[in-house]
Structure formats: structure tokens, C-alpha cells
Amino acid sequence: MTDRTSPPPDQPVRPQRTRGERIAAVGLIVVCGAMFVQALGYGLWQRNQPGPGLFPALVSALMVVLSLLWLITKPAPRPSDGLLGAAVAAEEAAEAAEASRIERAGRRTIVFTIVWALIPIFALDKIGFVLTTTAYVGGMLIFIARIRWWLVLPITAVVSVLVNLGADRIGIALPDPFRLLWLLGV
Amino acid sequence: MDILKDLLLGFSHILTPQILAFAVLGCALGMITGILPGFGPSAATALLLPLAFVLEPTASIVMIAAIYYGSMYGGTITSVLLNIPGEVSSVATGIDGYEMTKRGEAGKALAIAAVGSFVGGSLAVIGVLFASPFATLAIKLKFTDVFALSLLALMLVIGLAGSSMIKGLISAALGLLIGTVGLDHFTGSPRFTFGTLALSSGLNYIAIIMGLFGLAEILENLGSGKVPDFSANIGSLRLKWQDIRDSLGSMGRGTVIGFFFGLVPGSPAAASAFTSYAVEKRVSKHPERFGHGAIQGVAGPETANNALGISNFIPLLTLGIPSSATMAILLGAFIINGLQPGPLLYAQHPEIAWGIIASLIVSNVILFIMALPLVQVWVSILRVPTLILYPVTLGVMSVGAFLTNNSTFDILVMWVSGLVGLALRKLDVPLAPAALTLVLGPMLEANFRRALSLGNDPVQTFLGSPVSASAFALIVVVFLIRGVLTTRSAFLRRKKALVPVAGEEV
């Protein structure tokens, strides 16, 4: 019995948008729709002049229309679609499975990198450049590059001090709330 | 003949060991600061402006000008080697430059960028010599003209890096929308700030660019589990004669594009670089090579960038009008030294006016001489194992983002942009249009609103001037051509997909 929804075997199958694309398009419609409503609140026209909301309203409306088009249209068929690309498609599927396996391992690295980025975001202006860089870069070299901590931390600390000193000499002020450079006598 | 005499006067004024030393120092300082992510030409010149207080007028202006184009080349280095553009104008160069690096042609990419910078700068100086008519023409452009020309540049760029027009447009509109965050420049009302002070001054576009391109690249490589090993694939550092021959046309076109963009006040350097890239892709016999390491994709934008850098001096020297942020800083250097650029500068201080023009030529040669041997030094960065290079780069990027406004909020902006960039890459959405609209957006909006404020009839307002009418006509043509080409290629692909493989039954 043939599935009534599937195309005849001699017809090329037009690819669908991926799930990621559909989620992104819906997300954009929601966010840009909200921005459109907010832009209307800023005022489209004030005292015979274009208001602050006009341009954002136009752009967000355009964004909603484009995202809608992204959601409802289908991508152009690639050369690997249809009969010609059956072998290519199989090969691509195998590659995708392998990539997905590697990506699971890589995802852990990404999560670590993102969490570790909180150090400069929250600490740079509070504990200063030298300590932040030593912790941030040193930590990543230990966890990502797998270099021993007793090698990494002293080197990172010395390089951070030297960079801070060099920046100071050419007039770039890096945060140093504890006056470490002064304490180190440099 | 008079021009030659005046130029000789300028050369006699600057060809002293002291001024030449300042030019060399300026180029070196510019290149070093340009390499730091977040330090574009305007930041580098602003940082070193205090030198204008301690040096004599010609020396200080020559040095600051040298810092300016040294930093423009410096921005290219990280863009080509690591896909981390320190400024938006380097994004276009990095599209193919980084692909060349991945292919083991980093040295070649940096060398052609140096040659392109030299050619663009040298040819643009000739324009500067015969400058004043161009400058007055550019000043006569109306708001609608600038709006239409910006829109045209945008249309040329959309769809640059991807195959889908919708995705290109989404990327462009995203950049425009991000550009509207912050206080409205006309009324001062907050837009999309959600009551936070940090968002009032808008989102820092340098942090966004670093996130969208550099950070997304690093995250993608770390996440894929296949971190590229550049050290094993450094390849030849030398340019072949064929490479230069292949790039000559791109350099010529890049010079013309950059030169004319530089005359228009407020025209961002990124617009000329992207337009040059788009033009190169369109005129190429092999457009499919663009985005995969086409040498013309490096030569064109880099030449345009430097030609723009030089022609930016024309409105400043002839009319006293700074056409960019960097030129405004240079104007400051003039004023600090008690000089007022403009027509009177040529009459009252011809040795300084012509000395600066002569210094453009000299500094251009100095930069070229310094850049080529240094290619080996920059490329040696790639010998560092990637897993060590990435953490160090992330540290430098975080500090670079922080330094643009001395705010850790910009590091957060960079990280959010990095994650958005990663998602867009996975969805095959091109990032180049967003990079351009981020810078063009505020200018586009300002000119759009000014034009609407002036006229009652929008059709008459936007199509009344020959420049804007021609630009809009070209936009329609670009759209039509793009539509026809997309339909045709979709039709051909569909037809091709039906052709059976040899020996296979249908």
C-alpha cells in the first residue's frame, strides 16, 4: 500500500525547513511582533515629524513578514535531493550521525566556555584585570587545553601583569582596584 | 604644474628624519592597536591624540594620520587569521581571508591585503591632489540621496554569503533592529531599553561584531569537536605574480568604490568594503569561489578600505568638514595646534596642507614596507596550538570588549551576540548583511526621518532628486535580477534532480 502523502518515486522530494529553522522563525515572529507593538507605543508621528517609533515599527513589521516567509516557504532543492542524490543523501546521513556524536562531547566544552565567561562579565571591574585574566584564561587552558595548573597559573599571572603594565605605559587604563601593579612595585 | 610645485613644497617640509621617524612610529603603533579586538582606527587615534599636545603641528598630524591607516591594516590581520574583526570594515576582508587561512594561505591573504592597501592608498592620493570639485559635489548630496545610496549599498550586499534571499534579508533587518536600541537621536526617547541605563547608549556594535564572527567561530569549532589545526597548514607566505594579476581588477574597482564612499560625509568604511566585495562577486567569472577563499574577495575590500581612508581627508582638508569619527579626531589635532582645515589652510599654511598630502604618500610606502616582512610574524601566531590560542583569544576579546566603553556589560553583549551568531551559522543565515546594517542602520534611519520631515509628498521627496531616483531605479533592477536568477537556478536544480544516474533505473 502506498502512502498517499508521499510523492511518486520519480519526483524529486523538495526538502522541508529543518526543525531549528521553524523554531527560529516562530521565535522571530513572536519577538519582532512584540517589538512592533512596543514601537507603536513610541509614536509613529509627532508634531508633523516622524516619531521615534516609525523606523523600528517598519523594520520589526518587515522582520515579521520575512520570518513568516521563512516559516511557510520551502528551501530550494539541493543537487543531492531527488533520485540523483540518493547515495549522497545516505552518505550525508552517516556523516550527520558521526557529527552528532562528536557534537555531544563538544556541547560540554561549549557549556563550560559559556559558564566560565561569567568570570570576566562579573569580576573584571571588581577584582581587576590581572586576577580576572589569570582565572579566566588560566582556567580555560587547564580545562580545555589540558595543561597542568602549576604550569599555567604562574605563566598566565606573569603575562597578565606584563600586559597590564604595557597597557598602562601606552595610556590604556585596565581595571586594577587592588592596585596590584603598585603593590608589585612595577 | 602648480600642483607638482606645491607637492614638492610638502615633501621638502616632511622629508626630515624626525617626521619620518614619527610616521614610522605612527604606522607601528597603529598596526599594534589595530590588532587588538575592539580597537578600530577611531579608538586608536583617540587614544594617541594627546601626542598632538607635545609634538609640533606637522609631526603630530603626520603621526596621527599614520596611526589611522596603520590601525586600518592592523584590523585586517586578526580578521584574516582568526576571523575576529576588530572593526566592522574588516568583516568583508575576513569572509574570504579567513577561508584562505583555513586553506593554508594566510600569508598570501595578508600579503595581498598589504598590496591592496598600498595600491588603494596610492591611487586615492592622486584623487586627493585634484580633490576640491569632488568634495563640493559630495557635500551637495541631500538626505534622500544619502538614504537611497545607503539602501543601494545594502541591497548589493544582501545575499552575499548565502544562497537564500529571505535569510539575507532577515540578517539585514536584524542588524537594523539592533541599531534602534537606545536613546532616539532626534527626541531622546528611550527605545527597547527596558529601563536599563546600560542599554540607553545603544548596543556596542564592536562587541556585537566580535561576538557574531569571532566568538561564534570559536564556539562552533570547540563544539564540533574538530578544532582546526592551523599550524599544520601554514603554506607559502609569498604572493605569485598570478595572484597579483588576478587581483588587479579588484584593486582598481576597490579604489574607485572606496574613493567615492570616502567623499560622502558619514559614510561608514564598512559600506565601501562590503560594496566592493559584492561588486567583485558579481563581476567574477567564478562567483562560487567567493566565501571559499577567493583572493579577489580580500584584495577588493581591503583596497576600498584604504582608498576610503585617504579620500576621507578630502572633505577635511578642502572644506574643514570631518567625514568620519576618525577625521573628527584629526580635526581635533589640527585645532590643538591652532590650525583650521579648509580652503584657508592652503593659503595660510601651504607647507602644512601639502605636507600632510605628501605624508599620505610617504606613510603609505612606509606601511607597505613594514607590512610585507611582518606577514611572517603575524602568520607565526597560527603556529600556536589552537587549544591554547582560543583561550588566550577569548581573554583578549573580553578585555577588548570591556575597553570600548569601560563596561563589563559589553562583554555580556559580546557573549549574547556570540550565541546568536552560533545559532545563525547553524541555520545557514549569512552574518555579513547584519554586520553592515548595524553600522548603516542609524545613518539610514536619520536620513529617512530627515527626508520625511522636509517634504509633504513622499514620492517627490524620495524620487525628486536625480541621484536618489537613479539609486532607487538601481535597487529595483538589483531585486529583479536577483529574483530572475533565483527562479532560474531553482528551475535548473529541479530539472537536474530528475536526471537519472547512469546505469540506474528510473
Side-chain angles (χ1 to χ4, degrees):
Chain A
M1 214 171 118
T2 320
D3 179 5
R4 275 198 296 169
T5 54
S6 63
D10 59 343
Q11 287 291 311
V13 182
R14 255 195 116 177
Q16 297 288 325
R17 294 274 179 213
T18 61
R19 196 168 65 130
E21 282 183 285
R22 289 199 300 268
I23 293 171
V26 172
L28 280 176
I29 291 169
V30 173
V31 173
C32 295
M35 286 177 97
F36 176 74
V37 174
Q38 193 151 9
L40 290 180
Y42 300 143
L44 297 183
W45 212 262
Q46 291 175 349
R47 287 183 232 109
N48 284 334
Q49 303 277 322
L54 181 66
F55 193 73
L58 285 175
V59 179
S60 47
L62 175 73
M63 219 28 202
V64 171
V65 173
L66 288 170
S67 309
L68 207 60
L69 282 174
W70 191 17
L71 185 69
I72 60 174
T73 55
K74 288 178 180 175
R78 295 166 302 150
S80 60
D81 298 321
L83 292 171
L84 183 67
V88 180
E91 203 176 302
E92 276 180 359
E95 274 176 18
E98 172 67 6
S100 140
R101 191 186 62 76
I102 298 169
E103 270 186 23
R104 272 197 296 276
R107 222 169 278 159
R108 281 196 295 272
T109 315
I110 290 190
V111 171
F112 168 77
T113 314
I114 293 167
V115 172
W116 209 244
L118 297 175
I119 293 178
I121 293 172
F122 290 108
L124 186 57
D125 50 356
K126 290 181 185 71
I127 62 168
F129 170 79
V130 173
L131 294 178
T132 307
T133 320
T134 306
Y136 179 58
V137 178
M140 277 199 294
L141 286 171
I142 293 167
F143 294 112
I144 295 177
R146 306 269 173 214
I147 304 177
R148 295 181 192 282
W149 66 267
W150 48 265
L151 192 66
V152 164
L153 292 180
I155 293 176
T156 325
V158 171
V159 172
S160 302
V161 170
L162 291 176
V163 170
N164 200 348
L165 192 66
D168 194 51
R169 290 285 181 272
I170 59 166
I172 303 174
L174 293 169
D176 186 11
F178 306 134
R179 301 186 68 198
L180 280 183
L181 286 190
W182 180 78
L183 287 173
L184 291 168
V186 286
Chain B
M1 213 46 201
D2 275 353
I3 289 179
L4 202 63
K5 220 171 83 184
D6 292 333
L7 196 60
L8 284 175
L9 169 75
F11 273 117
S12 69
H13 191 62
I14 63 141
L15 286 180
T16 66
Q18 194 206 11
I19 293 187
L20 285 179
F22 281 125
V24 172
L25 187 65
C27 282
L29 278 175
M31 224 189 279
I32 293 166
T33 42
I35 288 169
L36 297 173
F39 273 82
S42 53
T45 45
L47 190 73
L48 301 164
L49 182 67
L51 292 170
F53 287 103
V54 289
L55 300 176
E56 55 109 358
T58 314
S60 68
I61 293 165
V62 165
M63 189 173 173
I64 291 172
I67 291 167
Y68 170 47
Y69 24 84
S71 66
M72 286 205 299
Y73 179 70
T76 304
I77 297 168
T78 45
S79 187
V80 166
L81 295 182
L82 301 164
N83 199 20
I84 300 168
E87 31 150 356
V88 193
S89 55
S90 304
V91 172
T93 312
I95 298 173
D96 277 272
Y98 183 62
E99 288 301 318
M100 285 180 77
T101 297
K102 287 205 278 193
R103 228 170 46 191
E105 294 179 340
K108 208 186 258 189
L110 286 178
I112 200 70
V115 174
S117 295
F118 176 69
V119 172
S122 305
L123 293 178
V125 171
I126 299 171
V128 174
L129 295 175
F130 306 95
S132 33
F134 293 116
T136 42
L137 262 180
I139 298 300
K140 281 180 188 162
L141 288 177
K142 294 176 192 159
F143 300 132
T144 43
D145 298 335
V146 181
F147 172 72
L149 288 172
S150 311
L151 213 58
L152 177 64
L154 199 62
M155 284 301 130
L156 285 171
V157 170
I158 288 169
L160 257 188
S163 52
S164 161
M165 181 120 172
I166 292 179
K167 289 181 184 176
L169 283 167
I170 284 178
S171 172
L174 197 65
L176 287 176
L177 211 52
I178 293 169
T180 62
V181 175
L183 293 183
D184 174 35
H185 293 298
F186 287 79
T187 59
S189 357
R191 298 189 300 192
F192 309 119
T193 58
F194 309 104
T196 47
L197 198 64
L199 284 172
S200 304
S201 51
L203 291 165
N204 177 0
Y205 65 83
I206 292 177
I208 297 176
I209 293 296
M210 284 200 288
L212 280 181
F213 289 86
L215 191 53
E217 172 78 29
I218 291 175
L219 289 176
E220 189 174 39
N221 285 334
L222 285 174
S224 69
K226 287 186 231 164
V227 178
D229 182 12
F230 298 114
S231 59
N233 194 18
I234 284 180
S236 166
L237 300 179
R238 294 211 176 142
L239 273 181
K240 290 182 192 143
W241 174 237
Q242 185 61 37
D243 297 323
I244 296 181
R245 251 179 41 189
D246 288 346
S247 311
L248 278 178
S250 317
M251 291 181 197
R253 285 182 289 272
T255 304
V256 175
I257 292 167
F259 185 80
F260 283 101
F261 268 85
L263 293 174
V264 180
S267 164
S272 79
F274 274 113
T275 307
S276 164
Y277 187 87
V279 167
E280 286 315 311
K281 193 174 177 181
R282 281 182 212 286
V283 300
S284 171
K285 284 178 190 158
H286 302 284
E288 72 283 355
R289 288 186 191 162
F290 281 75
H292 301 284
I295 199 161
Q296 296 87 345
V298 179
E302 199 53 29
T303 311
N305 206 8
N306 232 41
L308 173 133
I310 300 288
S311 70
N312 262 183
F313 279 89
I314 297 173
L316 182 70
L317 288 176
T318 56
L319 303 165
I321 297 171
S323 53
S324 66
T326 319
M327 287 299 124
I329 293 162
L330 211 69
L331 176 67
F334 273 99
I335 292 167
I336 288 167
N337 285 294
L339 301 167
Q340 183 58 51
L344 284 179
L345 185 71
Y346 286 87
Q348 290 169 347
H349 301 282
E351 75 289 353
I352 293 181
W354 288 100
I356 291 164
I357 294 175
S359 85
L360 297 178
I361 300 170
V362 172
S363 300
N364 210 27
V365 174
I366 291 172
L367 183 66
F368 184 60
I369 294 170
M370 283 173 73
L372 279 185
L374 281 175
V375 164
Q376 295 202 20
V377 177
W378 306 130
V379 170
S380 63
I381 293 172
L382 300 177
R383 292 187 203 279
V384 178
T386 316
L387 283 178
I388 295 179
L389 192 62
Y390 277 176
V392 175
T393 308
L394 287 174
V396 175
M397 283 168 70
S398 300
V399 176
F402 171 82
L403 283 176
T404 49
N405 284 323
N406 272 332
S407 158
T408 49
F409 180 73
D410 288 330
I411 308 178
L412 182 67
V413 170
M414 182 182 81
W415 273 91
V416 173
S417 310
L419 295 174
V420 171
L422 183 65
L424 293 179
R425 274 162 172 258
K426 297 267 178 209
L427 297 169
D428 202 22
V429 175
L431 297 171
L436 180 63
T437 47
L438 261 175
V439 239
L440 265 186
M443 189 173 107
L444 209 65
E445 182 187 1
N447 287 307
F448 175 67
R449 283 170 67 180
R450 282 189 194 119
L452 278 181
S453 313
L454 291 176
N456 291 327
D457 179 10
V459 178
Q460 178 60 27
T461 306
F462 286 103
L463 299 175
S465 124
V467 176
S468 60
S470 318
F472 280 119
L474 272 171
I475 290 169
V476 174
V477 170
V478 168
F479 246 114
L480 285 177
I481 292 175
R482 175 92 188 160
V484 169
L485 287 178
T486 311
T487 318
R488 189 169 154 259
S489 83
F491 174 73
L492 286 175
R493 275 177 190 162
R494 226 165 284 157
K495 208 171 150 189
K496 212 171 166 187
L498 279 170
V499 177
V501 178
E504 192 179 40
E505 276 185 38
V506 183

